[in-house]
Amino acid sequence: MNRILVGSLAVAALVAGPAMAADMPLKAPPPIPVFSWTGCYIGIQGGYGTGTSRHTSAGAWNGVPNGTAGIDITNRFNVYGGVGGGEIGCNYQVGAWVWGIEIDGSAFAKDGQSNDLFPPFTPTWISKTSERWNAMARGRLGYAQDKWLWYVTGGATWVGVDITTNNALLPPSQTQIERKSRVGYVVGFGTEYAIAYGWSVKWETLYTDYGTFRAFDSVDAVFCASAVNCTNRDVRLYEWVSRFGLNYKFDFGKYPAVVAKY
């Protein structure tokens, strides 16, 4: 009898144990940290730019009208070359949205040129636009999915430009050059991916526009003895720049966003 009773109790315990355990509330697992873009960073970037320029006569040579006002000195011509420099910025992430600012500076090796149009100019004369340096201050708005970030960007841009004219049949010393600095606007888009240990890589494409600006209001009458081809001029410049970058973010992951996953 006792054996039957003990056996019955054992069977009942085996049956009731899993059922009671199934009725007990489960403890949620600890939250899994998710990568955050919040923080400040420094980095390097480089790429290639392709732009367009055109020179149009403003109608005077050393202040003396020469009857060419409004006439194109050149057709549109390409301005292209390499860019490279450094950058610094900060991001702040709220949910999936990332707000940021970035400042960068680059050395440019970009130029383009065209023969002057005939008439009234002389085709042996060459007009040239060259870019020496560039700086930008931009805001960024991005959407993040863990370590991926897609963003749009826009702000102000500054550029150092050399405007040159010379006769290809004369010695290089017979060249008129004027250095200008211009401010314009920049807009663009890009993507960035966090690799590990604070490092991330990015790619972006930017459109910059510097409008139209004046050059050669006065020229050296000895080195540029041509009242027509050395006329003062309005220069148009705009371009696209595509570049890659490598950034290092400080306190990488120190203050991660936390999302509970079940």
Side-chain angles (χ1 to χ4, degrees):
M1 184 64 180
N2 290 337
R3 291 181 179 178
I4 295 175
L5 180 59
V6 171
S8 299
L9 292 174
V11 172
L14 290 173
V15 173
M20 293 176 64
D23 292 335
M24 294 178 64
L26 296 177
K27 185 178 180 181
I32 301 174
V34 177
F35 176 80
S36 173
W37 287 92
T38 297
C40 295
Y41 59 89
I42 59 174
I44 56 175
Q45 44 77 17
Y48 195 81
T50 301
T52 300
S53 184
R54 180 173 62 186
H55 295 203
T56 302
S57 174
W61 184 79
N62 284 336
V64 179
N66 59 15
T68 62
I71 300 176
D72 286 340
I73 300 173
T74 70
N75 289 318
R76 290 187 177 92
F77 57 90
N78 291 329
V79 179
Y80 51 86
V83 304
E87 61 196 19
I88 184 171
C90 292
N91 292 317
Y92 184 73
Q93 183 169 352
V94 180
W97 296 100
V98 179
W99 306 81
I101 56 173
E102 184 172 289
I103 299 173
D104 65 70
S106 301
F108 274 19
K110 297 177 57 189
D111 58 46
Q113 64 184 35
S114 173
N115 293 89
D116 290 358
L117 298 174
F118 178 82
F121 310 102
T122 308
T124 58
W125 281 77
I126 297 172
S127 295
K128 184 176 181 180
T129 302
S130 305
E131 295 178 61
R132 299 176 290 110
W133 58 265
N134 170 264
M136 299 182 187
R138 296 176 286 115
R140 300 203 310 176
L141 173 61
Y143 184 82
Q145 288 186 327
D146 198 22
K147 294 185 178 182
W148 273 109
L149 174 66
W150 293 267
Y151 61 87
V152 293
T153 182
T157 176
W158 295 262
V159 68
V161 185
D162 288 351
I163 306 302
T164 307
T165 185
N166 71 288
N167 190 334
L169 301 180
L170 296 178
S173 60
Q174 305 295 103
T175 297
Q176 184 70 29
I177 182 171
E178 183 170 337
R179 291 197 158 178
K180 311 284 288 187
S181 59
R182 287 291 298 173
V183 61
Y185 70 88
V186 53
V187 294
F189 59 91
T191 184
E192 191 166 355
Y193 181 74
I195 306 171
Y197 305 109
W199 296 99
S200 62
V201 293
K202 76 172 187 178
W203 166 86
E204 63 186 6
T205 291
L206 305 171
Y207 172 77
T208 61
D209 196 316
Y210 300 102
T212 301
F213 53 95
R214 180 66 56 85
F216 297 161
D217 276 340
S218 61
V219 297
D220 190 316
V222 175
F223 291 143
C224 205
S226 173
V228 175
N229 294 283
C230 290
T231 183
N232 61 345
R233 61 197 62 201
D234 294 320
V235 179
R236 181 78 171 95
L237 178 61
Y238 57 93
E239 62 192 357
W240 288 92
V241 177
S242 184
R243 61 190 190 182
F244 293 89
L246 176 66
N247 291 330
Y248 178 79
K249 184 166 79 72
F250 299 99
D251 294 327
F252 191 87
K254 185 176 180 180
Y255 306 104
V258 177
V259 177
K261 294 184 179 180
Y262 301 94

